[in-house]
Amino acid sequence: MKYIKLFESFGNADSIAEEIDNWIESNSDYMSASSLEDKLKELIGSDDIKVTETVERSSEGNEYGEDWSTTIICAKYKGQDLMKVCVNSSKAYDFGKNSIIFRGLPSNKVVTAGFGVRFYFDKNLI
């Protein structure tokens, strides 16, 4: 019943944020920019969403032979930042980076869980 209620109220920014949070949870092992773009277009009902990726290189893992770079997936809606989420070099959701980067932002700009910030989401744009 909860799923049906959410589906009927996707025009609400909080329900869209909750649905995206559920989607991230179920896709946390691999997230691509294109799949996030498709999901946002489906939920918002608009093709005016563009998603890009920015890689922040880190040399910290080099001594271990690992790539500790972070990719920030940014979704723009009508030219403004709607959503940002961090993934690691394997494209898996990076809870630690999201918690650190988006900590301290106003509650209408982030989606939180009981233990920290999950991702940036500007609820004022919806």
Side-chain angles (χ1 to χ4, degrees):
M1 191 70 165
K2 181 180 177 185
Y3 176 77
I4 293 170
K5 184 174 182 172
L6 278 175
F7 187 76
E8 291 172 352
S9 62
F10 277 153
N12 179 317
D14 288 325
S15 62
I16 291 172
E18 182 179 347
E19 185 64 20
I20 289 294
D21 190 32
N22 292 337
W23 181 87
I24 287 174
E25 186 69 31
S26 65
N27 292 282
S28 62
D29 57 339
Y30 184 84
M31 292 176 36
S32 70
S34 61
S35 61
L36 178 60
E37 183 173 351
D38 291 343
K39 187 64 178 177
L40 286 168
K41 285 179 178 180
E42 172 192 328
L43 293 174
I44 295 173
S46 173
D47 286 334
D48 199 11
I49 294 174
K50 303 293 180 235
V51 177
T52 59
E53 292 183 359
T54 304
V55 178
E56 292 184 351
R57 298 277 177 217
S58 173
S59 59
E60 294 174 29
N62 290 348
E63 61 196 51
Y64 307 107
E66 298 176 359
D67 182 1
W68 289 2
S69 299
T70 298
T71 299
I72 300 175
I73 301 174
C74 179
K76 292 189 179 278
Y77 178 56
K78 296 183 179 179
Q80 297 183 23
D81 288 345
L82 171 64
M83 180 180 172
K84 293 181 183 179
V85 63
C86 299
V87 296
N88 65 22
S89 59
S90 301
K91 301 289 188 196
Y93 175 78
D94 192 336
F95 177 76
K97 273 292 194 196
N98 283 289
S99 293
I100 292 167
I101 291 176
F102 306 125
R103 178 180 48 213
L105 292 176
S107 62
N108 64 340
K109 300 277 186 183
V110 293
V111 173
T112 59
F115 42 83
V117 175
R118 298 274 292 147
F119 56 93
Y120 174 91
F121 187 83
D122 189 347
K123 297 173 187 167
N124 295 328
L125 294 179
I126 305 296

